Amino acid sequence: MILQLLSLSLILYVSPFFLTQSLSATLSLGSTLLASNTNQAWTSPNSTFSLSFVSVGASSYAAAITNSGGAAVIWTAGGDNGTVDSGGSLQLLSSGLRLTNGSGATVWESSTANRGVSSASLTDSGELLLSNASATVWSSFDHPTNAIVPSQNFTSGMVLRSGLYSFFLLSSGNLTLRWNNSIVYWNQGLNSSIINANLSSPSLGLQSTGILSIFDSNLIGGTIIAYSSDYAEGSNILRFLKLDSDGNLRIYSSDGGSNTKTERWAAVTDQCEVFGFCGNMGICSYNDTNPICGCPSQNFEPVDVNDRRQGCKRKMKIEDCPGSATTLELPHTKFLTYQPELSSETFFVGISACRLNCLVSSSCVASTSLSDGTGLCYLKTPDFVSGYESPALPSTSYVKVCGPVSPNPPPSWETAKKSWRLQAWIIVVAIVATLFVLIALEGSLWWWCCRNSPKFGALSAQYALLEYASGAPVQFSYKELQRSTKGFREKLGAGGFGAVYKGVLANRTAVAVKQLEGIEQGEKQFRMEVATISSTHHLNLVRLIGFCSEGRHRLLVYEFMKNGSLDNFLFATDEHSGKMLNWETRFNVALGTARGITYLHEECRDCIVHCDIKPENILLDENYNAKVSDFGLAKLINPKDHRHRTLTSVRGTRGYLAPEWLANLPITSKSDVYSYGMVLLEIVSGRRNFEVSAETNRKKFSVWAYEEFEKGNMEGILDGRLGDQDVDMEQVLRAIQVSFWCIQEQPSQRPMMGKVLQMLEGITDVERPPAPKAVTEGSLSGTSINMSSNISALSTFAASAPAPSSSSSLQTPGVSSIVSGRNTEKASSSLLESETK
Ligand SMILES: *[C@@H]1O[C@H](CO)[C@@H](O)[C@H](O)[C@H]1NC(C)=O
Ligand SMILES: *[C@@H]1O[C@H](CO)[C@@H](O)[C@H](O)[C@H]1NC(C)=O
Ligand SMILES: *[C@@H]1O[C@H](CO)[C@@H](O)[C@H](O)[C@H]1NC(C)=O
Ligand SMILES: *[C@@H]1O[C@H](CO)[C@@H](O)[C@H](O)[C@H]1NC(C)=O
Ligand SMILES: *[C@@H]1O[C@H](CO)[C@@H](O)[C@H](O)[C@H]1NC(C)=O
Ligand SMILES: *[C@@H]1O[C@H](CO)[C@@H](O)[C@H](O)[C@H]1NC(C)=O
Ligand SMILES: *[C@@H]1O[C@H](CO)[C@@H](O)[C@H](O)[C@H]1NC(C)=O
Ligand SMILES: *[C@@H]1O[C@H](CO)[C@@H](O)[C@H](O)[C@H]1NC(C)=O
Ligand SMILES: *[C@@H]1O[C@H](CO)[C@@H](O)[C@H](O)[C@H]1NC(C)=O
Ligand SMILES: *[C@@H]1O[C@H](CO)[C@@H](O)[C@H](O)[C@H]1NC(C)=O
């Protein structure tokens, strides 16, 4: 009796246990899981797997099949879209499984209505089955979400998804990983020895030992794709294949009941090669161990600072700076390019053509040039670009940005390396400083005993020259120039393009530092112009020693001319009369100036139209040799920039402008000839050519002078202050005639500069000049000239008129016209057409 009672109670006690067990193996209609209770689960017979709600974020849940440890999530109801709030539930109904959220709305269902579902079960291999009275109507293995487990068949119609990433098995047997259903960033074919196999319906399977292989009725024994690195190890290990949210496909191992998983194989070995891993405009790189996401430069900012994988956005949109976008160079960086983009936007062009083609194409956002010998250029036109930066990458990329480019500071792992470098530097500096002190001691000794020797001055000048004799312009820092000009204290003048200050360089060379204003050009463009100017060497041209380009500061450093500019001598008022030049010097200045301009026009490699010849721009060295300054600067003004269209230099230069400036006609080297003619007349007369006085019958001096010339009154034109000196009147007559030839209204009537020089030198005879017919009389006496029309004339000339060989265009053809956005269509199409393969 007692025994019976005992056994009964035993049964009573035990039976609930048995009941739950049988319930979990086969679930009846009405069974429900609540998101609010994550401990509630439907488990497989051996508890290997269970279906339960798992937390996937702050108060959001998903119904998932996991192994007993919970590390392996092998299926999720509704996939990425199957998240519900804490009021959600999963129900087994006769229509199948239904996932609802707190509001009762259906989030996902198994689409098995009218199939008479009567029960569900979860097997020990992780398969969730819905059955009716006679058959299985639905299986989770047929509807995988982002993972497959051993004994699951993945066939060519199926897909694994995770975010924008998807994984397919093609009917050819190829395995592909795609981004946003389009970009194929991984494509694994079958073993090449069986590549031509005629597959009927391939399927991918992962064996419990860790072999990933493809099966097909036409493939005897299948073909192996991959082995997990712990292949055939252990006995209680669950291996599963999963498409992770970072776009990589991996095999993981999870030990029995443990709650950890270990990566054993990855499809894409280099995570940064996964398209879109760092989001749009994100740049993937590695710190010592992990892939990390950053932005191309400080022109960009992260979309979400807490999730750098969301990519980057421009601080300033390209549309907001039409025409003035520049390119940011990203060395050792590529923008990932895969099928189908690979075929459509791939060209074989050089690195600079690749960059320029992107710059001029409105649809292009970035470009990548491979330097691996293929000469491949990718133009990135889509809205979404994905970058990869690594010191090992043999490629250079350019990305379009608005405004000044501001590169990233070096990554933190670089600065760590810097600390030991700093220590090394300190040691080096200490040694150098010691040496320096010794040399300085010796030098000062030498100075002390030898300074009175006449040799010394010459020596130091020679040293100064030698230091800059290499020809290449020296780059100065702004600080350096600030120091050498004592904070821009001693102003030498305020010509066009900005003020000029006196400075003394560290080696005691005196220099003139010109602080350019209104130069909006990019660093590279500026350097190009500087290179052109500094490569122009002539005895009668002021030499450019160096430059500074720092932030918005643009400065040019010229050799210092002891005697200043010609105007101080020509138009000297009484108190300066001591500085007056005699005729011989004047004539030499005229010749020197003509030689300098001739060189600019006809003899140097990149010919230059000066555009602003006037006595203020003719400097005199200690021996009164003329040196033309400010050449090459007209190019530096950006004609596209409206704010700086008023060329202050020209506005202040009444009288020297050729009539074509006002008439909106093309500006050529003949315009310089006109200006030179006016200067020549002034050298002879010592008076401004536009001066109007009672003495000149209320006419402009240049007009009056021609009338006097007609009358044969050369002495009247000649500077009266030269009257009692020894003056070569034959030279005076030649100079006067040449000047009238130069100021002819018609540019074609004016001689070339070379001819001018020959006439002055007396090598060529000078014919009697016709009347210059100064139609511009009075028109230049206004205070300002509308320069916008002239500048546009200037650029029209550069863009369209085929410049005569002797004259020069103000813009270097090719690069600068492409950069300024002109000839856009032509440039891009011709570049691409000729070089596309
Ligand atoms: C379930 O567990 C029993 C006992 O541990 C074992 O004999 C059986 O093979 C297991 N079944 C599966 C499918 O793992
Ligand atoms: C989630 O829903 C969107 C829109 O309905 C759909 O395009 C996407 O394929 C779904 N994702 C998954 C993993 O089912
Ligand atoms: C429930 O799902 C419906 C439809 O998907 C959605 O409109 C609603 O906002 C969701 N409610 C909650 C509380 O998540
Ligand atoms: C059970 O499902 C099978 C396959 O879908 C179907 O042919 C059969 O009619 C269903 N039986 C009932 C009772 O609905
Ligand atoms: C997977 O496919 C193979 C051969 O195609 C077949 O023998 C096996 O039964 C299938 N397994 C499942 C679980 O469907
Ligand atoms: C994905 O592709 C669709 C259409 O193909 C497009 O509308 C969408 O913008 C793409 N997504 C991203 C993030 O580019
Ligand atoms: C399959 O992959 C190989 C590379 O492994 C590739 O050459 C081939 O074109 C791919 N086939 C298809 C149909 O994508
Ligand atoms: C390709 O398949 C052949 C025959 O199945 C096999 O011998 C060879 O090792 C395989 N090669 C690779 C790289 O898997
Ligand atoms: C591949 O198989 C199909 C039908 O199974 C057949 O029509 C086709 O000719 C085969 N192709 C090759 C190359 O064997
Ligand atoms: C690399 O990045 C990972 C993830 O961002 C971080 O956890 C790790 O500390 C970083 N390692 C180094 C050496 O910076």
Side-chain angles (χ1 to χ4, degrees):
M1 182 65 187
I2 291 170
L3 212 76
Q4 273 180 327
L5 264 169
L6 254 173
S7 61
L8 189 71
S9 62
L10 200 76
I11 290 164
L12 279 170
Y13 268 106
V14 170
S15 57
F17 174 71
F18 278 122
L19 270 170
T20 36
Q21 279 295 307
S22 60
L23 258 178
S24 61
T26 307
L27 298 153
S28 53
L29 293 184
S31 299
T32 301
L33 288 174
L34 297 174
S36 53
N37 184 3
T38 51
N39 293 325
Q40 197 185 10
W42 298 339
T43 52
S44 65
N46 273 5
S47 298
T48 324
F49 288 98
S50 61
L51 172 60
S52 64
F53 274 101
V54 294
S55 176
V56 292
S59 71
S60 58
Y61 303 87
I65 299 174
T66 61
N67 66 346
S68 54
V73 179
I74 62 161
W75 181 83
T76 311
D80 283 344
N81 294 340
T83 46
V84 294
D85 52 19
S86 58
S89 66
L90 183 68
Q91 287 173 286
L92 180 60
L93 307 166
S94 62
S95 62
L97 283 170
R98 179 194 286 173
L99 179 69
T100 55
N101 69 7
S103 68
T106 301
V107 173
W108 171 83
E109 54 191 348
S110 59
S111 306
T112 45
N114 307 319
R115 304 281 285 279
V117 171
S118 57
S119 68
S121 62
L122 183 62
T123 69
D124 275 326
S125 55
E127 185 176 21
L128 179 64
L129 295 164
L130 300 183
S131 313
N132 64 15
S134 55
T136 298
V137 295
W138 185 91
S139 161
S140 65
F141 276 10
D142 294 333
H143 302 89
T145 54
N146 60 11
I148 60 173
V149 290
S151 78
Q152 185 171 357
N153 276 353
F154 185 78
T155 60
S156 57
M158 296 176 181
V159 56
L160 300 186
R161 285 189 195 281
S162 190
L164 283 171
Y165 298 104
S166 50
F167 169 68
F168 294 89
L169 169 63
L170 306 184
S171 53
S172 65
N174 273 30
L175 299 168
T176 64
L177 285 171
R178 295 175 201 195
W179 175 85
N180 201 17
N181 281 333
S182 54
I183 306 288
V184 179
Y185 58 91
W186 186 70
N187 191 351
Q188 165 82 57
L190 291 175
N191 177 338
S192 59
S193 63
I194 48 165
I195 193 94
N196 292 318
N198 197 359
L199 304 182
S200 55
S201 57
S203 70
L204 180 75
L206 177 66
Q207 292 167 28
S208 57
T209 51
I211 295 177
L212 186 66
S213 48
I214 288 179
F215 300 95
D216 185 81
S217 51
N218 290 345
L219 273 179
I220 301 130
T223 178
I224 294 166
I225 298 292
Y227 291 91
S228 87
S229 59
D230 65 344
Y231 161 67
E233 279 173 23
S235 53
N236 195 21
I237 293 175
L238 168 70
R239 297 189 175 86
F240 60 103
L241 181 76
K242 184 167 187 180
L243 176 62
D244 284 310
S245 59
D246 63 7
N248 216 334
L249 183 72
R250 297 187 175 90
I251 295 175
Y252 287 101
S253 291
S254 183
D255 212 343
S258 88
N259 56 2
T260 59
K261 62 178 198 250
T262 312
E263 177 188 323
R264 298 298 184 184
W265 173 82
V268 186
T269 46
D270 186 346
Q271 181 60 38
C272 282
E273 298 271 8
V274 171
F275 193 89
F277 172 65
C278 284
N280 190 17
M281 277 295 168
I283 306 283
C284 184
S285 60
Y286 289 90
N287 66 8
D288 286 342
T289 47
N290 297 64
I292 49 171
C293 293
C295 294
S297 72
Q298 306 206 343
N299 303 70
F300 294 81
E301 61 191 357
V303 170
D304 179 354
V305 285
N306 298 317
D307 183 5
R308 301 301 290 262
R309 281 200 51 210
Q310 293 301 311
C312 304
K313 59 176 188 249
R314 293 170 196 279
K315 287 180 181 164
M316 194 189 206
K317 290 208 177 89
I318 300 225
E319 301 86 82
D320 296 343
C321 63
S324 65
T326 50
T327 51
L328 167 78
E329 183 178 318
L330 304 171
H332 302 295
T333 303
K334 67 177 177 183
F335 286 105
L336 303 179
T337 306
Y338 297 109
Q339 297 289 358
E341 269 185 78
L342 191 60
S343 44
S344 62
E345 293 294 344
T346 305
F347 307 97
F348 291 88
V349 294
I351 184 162
S352 56
C354 189
R355 180 183 78 88
L356 286 175
N357 274 296
C358 185
L359 191 58
V360 299
S361 156
S362 59
S363 60
C364 183
V365 292
S367 71
T368 289
S369 290
L370 300 191
S371 1
D372 58 357
T374 57
L376 268 175
C377 159
Y378 303 127
L379 296 188
K380 308 301 291 180
T381 54
D383 296 334
F384 197 103
V385 293
S386 184
Y388 178 10
E389 191 253 311
S390 158
L393 283 182
S395 55
T396 305
S397 291
Y398 291 91
V399 61
K400 246 192 225 176
V401 292
C402 260
V405 298
S406 37
N408 281 333
S412 52
W413 42 271
E414 280 259 296
T415 44
K417 283 184 197 159
K418 272 194 184 141
S419 64
W420 71 260
R421 268 191 218 157
L422 191 72
Q423 288 173 6
W425 267 108
I426 289 170
I427 295 168
V428 168
V429 165
I431 293 170
V432 169
T434 316
L435 278 174
F436 190 80
V437 166
L438 282 174
I439 290 170
L441 265 172
E442 203 172 320
S444 51
L445 253 172
W446 181 70
W447 160 258
W448 183 73
C449 62
C450 308
R451 70 186 143 162
N452 292 326
S453 146
K455 267 186 185 168
F456 179 70
L459 249 166
S460 78
Q462 222 166 17
Y463 158 73
L465 262 175
L466 264 174
E467 183 152 2
Y468 299 113
S470 62
V474 182
Q475 179 165 12
F476 295 97
S477 73
Y478 188 70
K479 264 212 174 122
E480 256 176 288
L481 293 184
Q482 219 167 11
R483 213 173 24 240
S484 59
T485 56
K486 299 200 176 72
F488 300 103
R489 257 220 315 256
E490 196 180 335
K491 200 168 183 171
L492 293 172
F497 310 102
V500 184
Y501 301 89
K502 184 170 182 188
V504 179
L505 295 185
N507 65 2
R508 309 203 300 125
T509 313
V511 290
V513 178
K514 187 183 280 279
Q515 216 170 12
L516 296 174
E517 284 158 14
I519 309 293
E520 292 275 296
Q521 271 175 334
E523 174 99 13
K524 271 194 171 167
Q525 190 74 9
F526 179 72
R527 280 167 191 269
M528 255 169 59
E529 306 300 0
V530 164
T532 308
I533 295 170
S534 69
S535 71
T536 312
H537 294 288
H538 191 273
L539 194 66
N540 296 110
L541 296 177
V542 174
R543 205 156 73 81
L544 182 72
I545 288 174
F547 68 101
C548 163
S549 175
E550 226 176 80
R552 298 187 63 79
H553 298 297
R554 299 278 188 276
L555 298 100
L556 295 176
V557 180
Y558 289 102
E559 55 179 333
F560 176 71
M561 290 296 129
K562 205 167 164 231
N563 277 318
S565 57
L566 181 59
D567 57 315
N568 291 329
F569 295 94
L570 289 186
F571 318 119
T573 46
D574 289 344
E575 65 261 33
H576 291 109
S577 54
K579 286 169 85 185
M580 212 192 56
L581 302 176
N582 63 23
W583 173 252
E584 195 191 341
T585 311
R586 287 193 195 205
F587 195 67
N588 279 333
V589 167
L591 283 176
T593 307
R595 288 193 186 109
I597 301 170
T598 306
Y599 182 78
L600 284 181
H601 284 184
E602 298 167 25
E603 289 157 22
C604 69
R605 202 175 33 153
D606 296 312
C607 287
I608 293 171
V609 177
H610 191 294
C611 288
D612 197 16
I613 290 175
K614 55 181 176 180
E616 286 79 359
N617 281 338
I618 295 164
L619 306 184
L620 302 179
D621 71 4
E622 64 267 35
N623 300 320
Y624 294 96
N625 289 315
K627 300 209 179 209
V628 177
S629 79
D630 270 16
F631 57 91
L633 296 188
K635 273 189 192 178
L636 285 175
I637 299 285
N638 185 355
K640 287 182 73 84
D641 192 333
H642 297 258
R643 281 167 299 168
H644 297 290
R645 272 190 175 171
T646 47
L647 257 180
T648 47
S649 58
V650 181
R651 194 163 27 157
T653 319
R654 307 179 298 173
Y656 304 94
L657 281 180
E660 54 265 32
W661 279 93
L662 296 172
N664 252 346
L665 291 170
I667 303 304
T668 67
S669 56
K670 291 291 183 70
S671 315
D672 281 353
V673 172
Y674 182 94
S675 311
Y676 175 76
M678 288 301 187
V679 173
L680 185 55
L681 189 59
E682 291 175 345
I683 290 175
V684 173
S685 66
R687 287 199 255 173
R688 289 282 189 190
N689 72 77
F690 46 85
E691 190 182 290
V692 175
S693 66
E695 205 185 326
T696 61
N697 299 332
R698 305 256 138 242
K699 284 178 184 154
K700 265 184 21 175
F701 180 79
S702 58
V703 176
W704 176 83
Y706 188 77
E707 287 170 9
E708 296 305 300
F709 165 74
E710 291 269 72
K711 293 181 202 156
N713 180 15
M714 302 311 149
E715 283 81 3
I717 301 170
L718 185 67
D719 194 337
R721 293 169 291 179
L722 292 172
D724 50 356
Q725 289 183 14
D726 188 16
V727 175
D728 184 338
M729 281 315 283
E730 199 203 323
Q731 279 179 353
V732 172
L733 176 64
R734 242 188 293 154
I736 290 175
Q737 294 198 83
V738 168
S739 79
F740 288 135
W741 273 115
C742 290
I743 62 172
Q744 291 295 313
E745 194 199 26
Q746 286 300 321
S748 59
Q749 291 271 69
R750 300 173 208 152
M752 301 289 301
M753 213 53 219
K755 180 89 183 294
V756 169
L757 186 57
Q758 287 178 354
M759 291 192 291
L760 276 182
E761 284 171 332
I763 297 169
T764 311
D765 289 337
V766 193
E767 286 173 49
R768 203 179 165 74
K773 193 158 167 260
V775 290
T776 54
E777 180 163 11
S779 59
L780 287 173
S781 54
T783 48
S784 116
I785 295 156
N786 177 6
M787 281 310 300
S788 58
S789 56
N790 290 300
I791 288 292
S792 64
L794 202 141
S795 35
T796 322
F797 166 66
S800 56
S805 59
S806 54
S807 72
S808 68
S809 64
L810 283 163
Q811 297 225 333
T812 42
V815 171
S816 55
S817 63
I818 292 173
V819 167
S820 64
R822 221 181 289 116
N823 294 343
T824 295
E825 304 301 317
K826 248 199 315 198
S828 57
S829 58
S830 61
L831 274 172
L832 293 183
E833 267 165 27
S834 58
E835 295 175 87
T836 304
K837 281 197 187 162

